[in-house]
Amino acid sequence: GGQIAMAIAPLGEQNIACFDQDPRGFAFWFNSKAWLGQDALYISSKLFQSQERQTVQQKYGSYFQSLTKLGEIPIRRGGIEVQTFIVYQAQTLLKPYPLPYGN
């Protein structure tokens, strides 16, 4: 989440949330219920997804009315692909992601 937040910061002020069991860098910045009914981009990475046993749709699909893959963004360093971000259209947040800090 932090890498994405830094990368899009020059584009303007954006709300960023982190759907993770350890969202320390994000959990205190917002009231998660305030985003109910809103659309978003859900961004993940191949590295993160390779560590998960569930697909993005299985793990996070119930939080949105729909979750549709839009594409992939490869990140290269020295001509070698080192990371790939996967972008999804997330429409209509149905329920807030549970945060361990009571937000």
Side-chain angles (χ1 to χ4, degrees):
Q3 292 176 337
I4 294 166
M6 288 187 292
I8 65 172
L11 301 175
E13 188 173 321
Q14 305 294 323
N15 292 317
I16 306 289
C18 186
F19 278 36
D20 189 58
Q21 293 178 356
D22 186 14
R24 287 179 282 184
F26 296 91
F28 57 89
W29 286 106
F30 59 88
N31 176 351
S32 58
K33 292 178 184 174
W35 293 344
L36 291 175
Q38 300 294 311
D39 296 340
L41 291 178
Y42 178 87
I43 303 171
S44 187
S45 70
K46 279 191 177 178
L47 177 63
F48 175 76
Q49 288 183 13
S50 70
Q51 297 169 354
E52 292 290 306
R53 293 190 174 150
Q54 297 175 305
T55 66
V56 168
Q57 188 66 35
Q58 291 170 324
K59 190 164 184 173
Y60 302 110
S62 67
Y63 290 94
F64 302 96
Q65 186 174 357
S66 66
L67 190 59
T68 306
K69 183 177 175 180
L70 297 177
E72 298 183 1
I73 303 169
I75 306 299
R76 292 182 172 79
R77 287 189 181 155
I80 298 170
E81 188 173 308
V82 295
Q83 176 65 284
T84 300
F85 289 106
I86 305 164
V87 181
Y88 297 83
Q89 167 106 32
Q91 292 187 305
T92 313
L93 182 64
L94 301 172
K95 59 184 178 181
Y97 189 75
L99 299 174
Y101 310 112
N103 196 1

